[in-house]
Amino acid sequence: MGFFDYFVAASPTFGSYAWTFFIVQILLVAGGAYFIWLHTERNVAKATFFRQLGIALMIVGGFGVALGVARMLNMPTFNLRFWFYIQFVVELILGGYVFYYMQNVLPELVRNSRTRAPAPRQMPADAAPAAPHPVATTGRREARRERKRKQR
């Protein structure tokens, strides 16, 4: 079997390597969901980084899970080996970029976010304060509507 023939050959069995790949993809999706919705970080730069990392993990892992399901269902087009090697290379590139970013870029962003004081919020000079809404005194129905508006 030649180099090209190996990559375009369909693998009819879902072996141990395929199961490992599939489980790793599920873990990537779970890790991405954790970083998006559950991970809390006090530093703004780190919080932004982890949220973006979670989104990237969800996308890459979701594509891998879709490939794994297609392979389980023995779909001929997506059962070829080169899809999984492409997915593996993309994940290695993502991992390398995350490592580089965490070592070289993120520390500087964290230092800058600590030293920068938040700007005070100011109202625009041309904005006038909103006029108060008069309380309805004409009837029971209008008074009830007014109470409901105040509770919102």
Side-chain angles (χ1 to χ4, degrees), residues 59-130:
I59 291 170
V60 170
F63 186 72
V65 168
L67 280 177
V69 169
R71 187 166 185 177
M72 274 186 199
L73 297 175
N74 204 10
M75 296 177 75
T77 306
F78 296 106
N79 205 10
L80 304 177
R81 289 185 177 118
F82 73 87
W83 289 110
F84 300 98
Y85 284 100
I86 290 172
Q87 177 74 15
F88 181 68
V89 168
V90 167
E91 288 174 6
L92 283 179
I93 291 171
L94 177 67
Y97 180 71
V98 168
F99 183 76
Y100 164 79
Y101 193 87
M102 287 181 78
Q103 296 295 320
N104 297 328
V105 179
L106 189 61
E108 183 68 27
L109 293 174
V110 169
R111 275 193 298 275
N112 288 345
S113 68
R114 283 186 191 153
T115 59
R116 190 183 69 196
R121 296 185 66 159
Q122 298 176 356
M123 282 189 67
D126 59 346

Side-chain angles (χ1 to χ4, degrees), residues 125-148:
D126 59 346
H133 189 67
V135 177
T137 56
T138 57
R140 187 172 172 195
R141 177 185 238 173
E142 287 80 16
R144 187 174 40 222
R145 286 182 182 169
E146 185 62 33
R147 273 195 310 271
K148 286 183 179 180

Side-chain angles (χ1 to χ4, degrees), residues 39-48 50 110 113-114:
H39 185 74
T40 57
E41 192 67 49
R42 297 184 122 199
N43 190 295
V44 176
K46 283 185 180 180
T48 303
F50 282 117
V110 169
S113 68
R114 283 186 191 153

